Amino acid sequence: GANQELSFEGFRALLGSYDGISTTQLRGNLHTFLEEVVPVAEQLGLRLCCHPDDPPFPLLGLPRIVSDEADYAALVGAVESPANGITLCSGSLGVNPDTDLPGMMTRLGAKVHFLHLRNVTREETRFPGAFHEAAHLEGGTDMVALIRAILAEEDRRKVEGRSDWCIPMRPDHGQAMSDDIKRAQQPGYPLVGRLRGLAELRGVVAGLGGSLE
């Protein structure tokens, strides 16, 4: 996830800094960190939101601790506070065919502080397995069902009187198209492709009778 260039030696050195750290220890470190920062965030009126592991399975021997709904439930339960929440990334979480994203949005919706809406196509039936980026409405995730659950959560927050009823969203990632092909850009973040994704997502929201605020 870094932008800087790394040599093989530099990469191995970074990877080596995790030698001997187990999943249990890394999760404990995260919870200790939350115990320190969540009270301060609450005092400042901030909302913290943890992004899931991407991809949601072990890679290069590194521990994975935020890969599914159970991991997220443990995270928000570690420090109970309005400031402690999650980023629901439908692309990262959707790599696992067993992940019920609309159901997850319904069950953990009160803790969702940010939405990354993107889609992936799994190339294999086994998990973990290969996958690739898909158009927002064309991958393995039922985006219409997920957005329906998001709108229901926003309606629930309105009734509850929450000021943060409108959950921030971005059309995360996209497929390069048109001028994207010749434009210098960060891989996975094409301008035109993401605008297409945003238009599609806004269309789903409007079709379901939701607000476009």
Side-chain angles (χ1 to χ4, degrees):
N3 291 325
Q4 73 267 30
E5 293 184 6
L6 292 171
S7 65
F8 280 116
E9 292 73 21
F11 179 75
R12 288 192 184 100
L14 286 175
L15 200 60
S17 65
Y18 287 86
D19 285 348
I21 298 181
S22 67
T23 298
T24 300
Q25 183 178 353
L26 191 62
R27 182 177 287 113
N29 290 347
L30 173 60
H31 291 178
T32 299
F33 170 78
L34 291 173
E35 289 170 357
E36 293 290 333
V37 302
V38 168
V40 178
E42 187 172 344
Q43 291 173 9
L44 296 174
L46 301 178
R47 294 287 188 267
L48 304 177
C49 43
C50 184
H51 192 282
D53 295 321
D54 190 4
F57 52 79
L59 196 65
L60 299 173
L62 296 173
R64 296 311 228 182
I65 58 173
V66 189
S67 292
D68 55 28
E69 184 172 346
D71 291 341
Y72 262 144
L75 183 144
V76 298
V79 182
E80 185 56 47
S81 166
N84 185 24
I86 68 177
T87 294
L88 192 145
C89 178
S90 59
S92 301
L93 294 165
V95 170
N96 187 341
D98 293 330
T99 299
D100 172 17
L101 280 163
M104 185 175 176
M105 183 67 214
T106 298
R107 291 183 288 272
L108 294 179
K111 293 293 187 178
V112 173
H113 294 163
F114 196 17
L115 296 160
H116 286 187
L117 298 184
R118 63 185 180 95
N119 222 325
V120 296
T121 293
R122 295 180 291 273
E123 300 173 11
E124 303 173 82
T125 55
R126 66 184 179 91
F127 177 76
F131 62 92
H132 64 263
E133 200 80 26
H136 285 74
L137 303 183
E138 296 175 12
T141 293
D142 185 342
M143 195 64 70
V144 174
L146 175 56
I147 292 176
R148 184 180 288 111
I150 291 167
L151 295 176
E153 170 59 23
E154 289 187 334
D155 287 343
R156 189 194 66 79
R157 293 185 184 192
K158 288 179 186 177
V159 173
E160 198 175 85
R162 285 178 55 165
S163 60
D164 62 342
W165 66 266
C166 186
I167 307 172
M169 175 275 288
R170 78 179 194 184
D172 199 27
H173 298 202
Q175 295 184 317
M177 56 189 298
S178 186
D179 287 348
D180 290 332
I181 307 300
K182 49 189 178 178
R183 181 184 291 111
Q185 59 192 350
Q186 186 75 6
Y189 292 90
L191 175 62
V192 180
R194 294 182 76 199
L195 287 176
R196 173 196 171 186
L198 177 60
E200 292 177 338
L201 296 173
R202 284 170 59 88
V204 173
V205 172
L208 292 174
S211 170
L212 294 175
E213 292 188 33

